Amino acid sequence: VGCDSLAHSLMAGRPTAVSPAPTIADGLRPTCVGELPFAVARDAVRGVVRVNDDQIAEAFQMLLMELKVLIEPSGAAGLAGALRLAADLGEAVNRPDVVQSGQGRERYRTVGVVLTGGNVEAELVARLATRQFADLATMEGVAA
């Protein structure tokens, strides 16, 4: 959300710099998308799904705890975006005022997510992994 140079660049039609914000996804913190990635994205990307650190952390935890895959938070951003698309589509399905096909609504049949990078500090992995268990213990009223 705070480092979305690609989204701004696609809207402007040229690479556009942004002021970086603090994030757990430090690989996504560059202030400006490069010329080559922009050229590829300009022709191949329909849009950008912005996700925040909480959504990235949730995707990171899912990958680590359920799928046993360790990637860096920047790599988990793609899964966070796919999960957000699924949630948004689920909300639209439950709303009678939203048309599901035609009139600009799209259905997503298949979504591919590229998982990248294993360059993540052990301390961050521990913090993100134990956050889930701390939340669970708090919800059940058990002291951690």
Side-chain angles (χ1 to χ4, degrees), residues 6 8 14 23 31 33 37 47 60 78 85-86 96 98 101 103 109 133:
L6 180 58
H8 287 277
R14 61 180 169 67
T23 179
T31 59
V33 65
F60 180 90
L85 283 175
V98 176
S101 59
Q103 297 182 5
R109 292 187 202 181
F133 298 117

Side-chain angles (χ1 to χ4, degrees), residues 81-127:
L83 293 170
R84 173 137 179 239
L85 283 175
D88 290 350
L89 185 60
E91 288 176 16
V93 168
N94 294 323
R95 289 180 46 203
D97 59 321
V98 176
V99 177
Q100 293 305 307
S101 59
Q103 297 182 5
R105 280 301 296 166
E106 295 185 47
R107 289 180 176 241
Y108 299 94
R109 292 187 202 181
T110 303
V111 175
V113 177
V114 177
L115 303 175
T116 61
N119 185 21
V120 58
E121 296 177 10
E123 181 182 324
L124 180 58
V125 172
R127 216 176 35 174

